[in-house]
Amino acid sequence: MAGAVAMHWGGAGDGAARFESKAATRETPLVKWLIVGVSLTFFAVFLLLPLVAVLVEALRKGWETYVTALIDPDALSAVRLTLLAAAISVPLNLVFGVAAAWAIAKFDFRGKHFLITLIDLPFSVSPVIAGLIYVLVFGAQGWLGPWLSEHDIKIIFAVPGIVLATVFVTFPFVARELIPLMEAQGKEEEEAAVVLGANGWQTFWHVTLPNIKWGLMYGVILTNARAMGEFGAVSVVSGHIRGETNTLPLHVEILYNEYQFAAAFAVASLLAMLALVTLGIKTWVEHRAAAAKNDEQDDAS
C-alpha cells in the first residue's frame, strides 16, 4: 500500500514537474518573435553595423589606397609590435593562469581569497590607471627611474613597458576560465593518480591537462584577443613613437587624428579581421568542448 501511495505521489510529482517545465515555455509566438527580434536588432546595430562601416570606409578610396596603408612601414612596425606583445604576454599568462587555478582549485592555503582578489584586479582597475602605475614605478621620475637610467635600462616608452602593460590587463582570463572548471572537477582523479605512484608532473600532464584542455584553449583565445586590442594601458606607457612603440590600436588613433581616415579604417579593418578569426576559433573550441562533453556523457551512460 505504501509503495502504491509512493508511486502515486511520485507519478503526480513527475507530472507536476513536466507541467511546470511546459508551462515555463508556453509563451505566445508574439513574445518569442519579439525577444528574437530585439536580440537580432541589438546585434545588427551595435555589432554588425560598425563592422560593416569599418570595411566600407577602408575600401572607400579603392584597393590601392587600402593596400598602401597596410604595407606602410609604420603599419608593419605596429603589426610586428602587436604580435610580439601578444606572443610574450599569452604564454606568461598561460603559465600563471594554470598555476593559479591549480593552486586555488586543488589546495587550501592562507591567502587564497586574497589571491583570487588580485586575479580580479585588472577587471576593476582602469587600463589607463594601470599604465600610470607603471609610469610611476619605472618612469624617469618614478621610484626606479634613476636606477634604470644609471644602468641604461629603458622600460617606459619602450617595448618592455608595452609588454608589462599587456600582461597586466590580460592575466585574469586564463585563471578565471580554469578556476570554476577545476573546482567542479574536484580532486579525486589527481589524488588517485598520486596513490598509484604518479609524481606532480605526471599527474598534471596525464590527468589534469586532458580535463582542462578546452577551457585552457578558450582562456588563451580570450587572452590573445585582449592583448592585440589593448589600447588604454599601452597608450600611456608607449610614448606614441612611430615605428617603435605604436601597436595597431595606437597606429589607428594617430592616423585618425591626422585626418588620414582611409588609412585609419584600413588598419582598423585588419584588427576587425583578427577579431573575426578569433571569434571563429572561439566558436570551434566551444563546439569541440560541447562534443567532448557529450561523448563523456554517452560513455558514462
Side-chain angles (χ1 to χ4, degrees):
M1 182 67 179
V5 172
M7 291 178 62
H8 169 75
W9 285 108
D14 293 341
R18 286 194 297 270
F19 175 77
E20 291 176 359
S21 176
K22 292 180 180 180
T25 58
R26 288 197 310 175
E27 292 86 359
T28 63
L30 177 61
V31 174
K32 295 178 181 179
W33 283 110
L34 181 61
I35 294 174
V36 172
V38 170
S39 301
L40 292 178
T41 301
F42 185 92
F43 170 78
V45 173
F46 293 101
L47 297 177
L48 187 59
L49 185 60
L51 179 61
V52 172
V54 168
L55 296 177
V56 170
E57 291 296 327
L59 297 173
R60 182 178 293 277
K61 293 187 177 181
W63 282 101
E64 184 177 354
T65 302
Y66 180 82
V67 174
T68 301
L70 294 183
I71 64 175
D72 180 77
D74 291 339
L76 294 177
S77 174
V79 171
R80 287 192 294 268
L81 182 56
T82 301
L83 295 177
L84 176 63
I88 296 175
S89 60
V90 171
L92 290 176
N93 282 302
L94 186 151
V95 174
F96 166 79
V98 172
W102 200 1
I104 291 171
K106 306 298 182 180
F107 303 99
D108 293 321
F109 55 91
R110 182 177 298 179
K112 180 176 179 178
H113 295 290
F114 181 66
L115 176 58
I116 296 175
T117 301
L118 289 180
I119 291 175
D120 291 336
L121 187 62
F123 288 143
S124 58
V125 175
S126 168
V128 174
I129 301 301
L132 290 174
I133 291 173
Y134 281 115
V135 172
L136 177 63
V137 175
F138 300 110
Q141 307 300 322
W143 297 346
L144 301 179
W147 184 87
L148 293 173
S149 297
E150 290 177 3
H151 294 81
D152 196 24
I153 300 175
K154 195 171 184 180
I155 294 180
I156 302 301
F157 304 154
V159 175
I162 294 173
V163 173
L164 285 174
T166 305
V167 169
F168 177 83
V169 299
T170 56
F171 82 79
F173 290 97
V174 173
R176 263 301 165 197
E177 188 64 32
L178 293 181
I179 289 173
L181 176 61
M182 297 177 74
E183 286 179 339
Q185 292 173 349
K187 311 175 185 177
E188 290 78 9
E189 294 187 20
E190 284 83 359
E191 291 173 347
V194 172
V195 170
L196 292 174
N199 57 34
W201 175 250
Q202 290 172 330
T203 301
F204 171 77
W205 188 256
H206 295 289
V207 178
T208 304
L209 186 59
N211 289 336
I212 65 171
K213 60 181 179 180
W214 296 114
L216 182 61
M217 289 181 62
Y218 189 78
V220 168
I221 291 170
L222 293 178
T223 302
N224 184 67
R226 185 73 172 86
M228 291 191 298
E230 171 54 26
F231 178 83
V234 171
S235 178
V236 175
V237 302
S238 72
H240 294 271
I241 304 174
R242 282 196 170 191
E244 297 183 20
T245 63
N246 276 341
T247 59
L248 278 175
L250 301 184
H251 187 58
V252 171
E253 181 200 27
I254 287 179
L255 292 175
Y256 191 84
N257 290 337
E258 293 179 350
Y259 303 103
Q260 301 182 46
F261 298 126
F265 280 107
V267 179
S269 71
L270 183 59
L271 279 172
M273 286 186 283
L274 290 174
L276 291 176
V277 171
T278 301
L279 182 62
I281 297 174
K282 170 181 170 291
T283 303
W284 177 80
V285 169
E286 290 176 340
H287 174 73
R288 291 292 299 166
K293 185 176 181 180
N294 292 334
D295 293 339
E296 291 177 358
Q297 292 175 349
D298 293 341
D299 293 341
S301 61

